[in-house]
């Protein structure tokens, strides 16, 4: 603004003025670029099986942001059981974004920390779930125990590996998928509870997160079947080979909808809201959806869904809202202190 007042007060030759005015856009552009170029770091607190997804996505977003704005961004990752990760954020870890396994864990950020608004899920498309997944079985090559569906998991000679629903989002999806199968096939809620009780009698160990359970089954050789995120099962198959493991798709499973949000109190404190918003919005972009598909998540964009459709088995899926009335009701009934999990697991 000083230059403009100087121009008006002290007129100069028309040619020189024109030359200076021609340089002005470049000057201001350089100033803005210099300001935008100050590097920034984001922390994405996520759940266990997204390590590979976000390793790739973070690189893609950093390049996109650099190309678009000139600013260098570094994204740090934190992974663990989704419930534990939510608790870590509530207890003070400064996550700019939370990309957790289920909406209930992000609801906890509002309920126990007022870190996000109650209507956080409305801020992004598809209830803030940019990709989906489901629950499948991973078994040893040849499927020696002949496991075909949920009913086989309660056979006396079958050992089931699944994480702890108290700490793992994936474990909660596992539990609810099994519960609904039990309800539909063994006589309503009472039958479902009896079925789940039998299933967990076959669980020799409860890891805190989904990746820990994968390690227990795939690398330590414990158990006959792993209840797994679909993407986690495919990644294990890719890494260790179809000559060692195979995937069994049950007749019925749950539509798992991992959700994402900025952590409002953190981004407002750190001044990172704009870039954190962009980071999550880019998950819905063509590139973001392609990365999701490459990592065996089910994309939500139509083009990517069509591109990756052949890599996923067809199965009947139900939603958390249809079967349980949403996460608030499911948590209260099954995972809160004194809920069904506490009731059946103490009987083990």
């Amino acid at each position: 603004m000083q230059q403009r007042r100087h121009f008006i007060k002290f007129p100069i030759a028309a040619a020189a003025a024109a030359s200076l005015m021609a340089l002005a856009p470049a000057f201001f552009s350089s100033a803005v670029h210099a300001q935008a170029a100050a590097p920034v770091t984001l922390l994405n607190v996520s759940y266990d099986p997204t390590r590979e997804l976000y390793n790739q996505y973070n690189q893609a977003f950093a390049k996109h942001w650099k190309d678009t704005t000139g600013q260098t961004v570094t994204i740090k990752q934190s992974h663990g059981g989704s419930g534990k990760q939510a608790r870590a954020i509530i207890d003070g870890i400064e996550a700019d974004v939370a990309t957790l396994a289920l909406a209930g864990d992000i609801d906890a950020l509002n309920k126990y920390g007022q870190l996000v608004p109650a209507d956080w899920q409305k801020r992004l498309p598809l209830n803030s779930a940019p990709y989906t997944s489901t629950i499948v079985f991973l078994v040893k090559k040849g499927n020696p125990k002949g496991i075909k569906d949920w009913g086989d998991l309660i056979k006396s000679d079958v050992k089931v590996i699944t994480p702890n629903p108290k700490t793992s989002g994936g474990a909660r999806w596992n539990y609810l998928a099994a519960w609904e199968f039990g309800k539909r096939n063994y006589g309503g809620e009472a039958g479902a509870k009896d079925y789940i009780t039998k299933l967990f009698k076959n669980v020799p160990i409860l890891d805190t997160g989904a990746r820990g359970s994968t390690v227990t089954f795939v690398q330590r050789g414990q158990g006959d079947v792993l209840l797994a995120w679909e993407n986690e099962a495919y990644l294990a198959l890719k890494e260790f080979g179809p000559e060692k493991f195979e995937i069994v798709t049950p007749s019925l499973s749950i539509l798992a909808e991992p959700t994402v949000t900025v952590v409002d109190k953190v981004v407002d404190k750190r001044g990172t809201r704009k870039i954190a918003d962009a980071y999550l919005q880019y998950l819905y972009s063509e590139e973001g959806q392609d990365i999701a598909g490459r990592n065996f998540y089910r994309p939500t964009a139509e083009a990517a869904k069509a591109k990756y459709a052949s890599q996923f088995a067809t199965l009947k899926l139900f939603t958390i809202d249809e079967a349980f009335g949403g996460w608030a009701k499911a948590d209260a009934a099954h995972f809160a202190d004194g809920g069904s999990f506490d009731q059946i697991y103490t009987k083990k």
Side-chain angles (χ1 to χ4, degrees), residues 45-239:
V45 173
S46 195
Y47 64 104
D48 263 337
T50 60
R51 300 166 196 265
E52 294 78 11
L53 167 67
Y54 282 110
N55 276 335
Q56 295 177 32
Y57 177 76
N58 290 346
Q59 294 177 33
F61 176 76
K63 182 180 184 303
H64 161 74
W65 191 251
K66 180 76 170 181
D67 292 345
T68 303
T69 69
Q71 185 177 34
T72 298
V73 57
T74 301
I75 302 103
K76 295 182 178 179
Q77 296 175 228
S78 171
H79 297 273
S82 187
K84 285 185 67 177
Q85 294 292 79
R87 173 49 59 184
I89 297 171
I90 293 164
D91 288 343
I93 185 172
E94 292 200 328
D96 298 276
V97 298
T99 58
L100 297 179
L102 46 94
D105 285 334
I106 297 182
D107 285 338
L109 304 186
N110 167 261
K111 183 176 181 180
Y112 299 110
Q114 292 74 55
L115 295 164
V116 300
D119 63 350
W120 63 270
Q121 214 164 354
K122 297 179 181 179
R123 298 191 294 195
L124 288 167
L126 304 172
N127 291 321
S128 295
Y131 42 78
T132 66
S133 190
T134 190
I135 303 304
V136 299
F137 307 156
L138 188 69
V139 298
K140 297 180 176 81
K141 180 65 178 178
N143 193 5
K145 294 296 177 75
I147 296 166
K148 301 296 183 184
D149 211 345
W150 294 97
D152 297 319
L153 304 183
I154 59 174
K155 293 178 180 177
S156 59
D157 64 337
V158 171
K159 295 301 180 187
V160 180
I161 302 300
T162 183
N164 189 338
K166 290 288 192 177
T167 55
S168 166
R172 294 188 180 197
W173 290 116
N174 294 350
Y175 187 97
L176 294 178
W179 184 280
E180 182 65 12
F181 178 87
K183 184 170 71 175
R184 296 188 186 192
N185 291 273
Y186 296 104
E189 295 291 336
K193 188 172 184 179
D194 181 64
Y195 166 75
I196 285 283
T197 302
K198 293 175 181 177
L199 192 160
F200 273 86
K201 284 182 178 178
N202 286 351
V203 177
I205 184 172
L206 288 176
D207 292 291
T208 59
R211 182 57 55 89
S213 285
T214 301
V215 170
T216 293
F217 180 74
V218 172
Q219 294 183 269
R220 296 177 185 164
Q222 295 192 42
D224 301 300
V225 55
L226 172 69
L227 306 189
W229 289 94
E230 183 178 50
N231 66 289
E232 184 81 342
Y234 276 107
L235 285 173
L237 206 62
K238 181 179 178 181
E239 181 174 355

Side-chain angles (χ1 to χ4, degrees), residues 18-29:
S19 177
L20 284 172
M21 291 300 290
L23 289 173
F27 170 82
F28 288 114
S29 175

Side-chain angles (χ1 to χ4, degrees), residues 234-262:
Y234 276 107
L235 285 173
L237 206 62
K238 181 179 178 181
E239 181 174 355
F240 295 96
E243 68 278 4
K244 293 186 177 180
F245 300 99
E246 59 187 79
I247 294 171
V248 173
T249 302
S251 63
L252 174 76
S253 197
I254 193 165
L255 178 66
E257 298 173 288
T259 45
V260 303
T261 185
V262 299

